Amino acid sequence: MRITSASFEELDLRTAYAVWRLRQQVFVVEQDCPYLDLDDRDQEPGTRHLLLHDGDQLAGYVRVLAEPEAMRIGRVVLDPAFRGRGLADDLMRTAIEQTGERPVLLAAQAPLAGWYATFGFVVDGPGFLEDGIPHVPMRREPGP
């Protein structure tokens, strides 16, 4: 297993296709949430695409966005065949490393808030529904 980081311009066509296929497979089909996953943020300056590979296969993915006041982690996803092995932990640790010394925001699906808390995130506002799924805003201050 290896994790790489790429800008939009550094993604080759096969990798970009695998990313968007995985995100659609999990967020749209598996979670039954028809929404526009391709939201134009993938190609913003400062966006990093973290790719977890098992050989040539994309096993997981995280998107790190640069916003004016903070960084934002999103689209945390593992291929179903790779779940239950702690690989999402590796992806999150790498994503946090990519944020430098800036605060980090994310919108956690409510059942995963405890998992995100293990990385130093705290709930930072009222819960909300997104595509019918309960979410909570979370924040992590810079530090160890």
Side-chain angles (χ1 to χ4, degrees):
M1 295 284 181
R2 74 185 191 290
I3 298 174
T4 60
S5 174
S7 68
F8 180 78
E9 290 78 16
E10 294 169 330
L11 294 173
D12 65 73
L13 292 177
R14 289 189 187 281
T15 301
Y17 181 86
V19 165
W20 295 313
R21 185 178 189 283
L22 177 60
R23 288 178 5 189
Q24 181 181 36
Q25 173 189 355
V26 173
F27 299 130
V28 177
V29 176
E30 180 182 317
Q31 295 180 359
D32 194 23
C33 294
Y35 78 105
L36 189 59
D37 175 57
L38 296 178
D39 59 2
D40 293 326
R41 299 212 65 194
D42 289 316
Q43 52 195 327
E44 289 179 359
T47 297
R48 300 304 298 173
H49 302 273
L50 303 183
L51 310 154
L52 173 66
H53 298 276
D54 182 20
D56 290 336
Q57 184 177 356
L58 181 67
Y61 171 86
V62 174
R63 181 172 76 178
V64 180
L65 302 169
E67 296 188 342
E69 302 298 322
M71 301 297 284
R72 180 170 297 276
I73 292 175
R75 303 295 202 269
V76 180
V77 62
L78 282 179
D79 183 297
F82 292 91
R83 293 180 188 160
R85 301 187 211 174
L87 298 172
D89 292 352
D90 297 336
L91 270 171
M92 277 303 296
R93 281 190 288 275
T94 303
I96 290 166
E97 289 171 7
Q98 296 279 310
T99 64
E101 292 300 315
R102 298 186 68 202
V104 184
L105 307 173
L106 59 80
Q109 291 185 4
L112 296 174
W115 178 69
Y116 287 112
T118 66
F119 299 99
F121 287 90
V122 295
V123 174
D124 189 39
F128 59 95
L129 281 179
E130 186 173 310
D131 300 313
I133 298 174
H135 283 72
V136 292
M138 299 189 82
R139 180 180 185 95
R140 182 183 191 276
E141 293 302 327

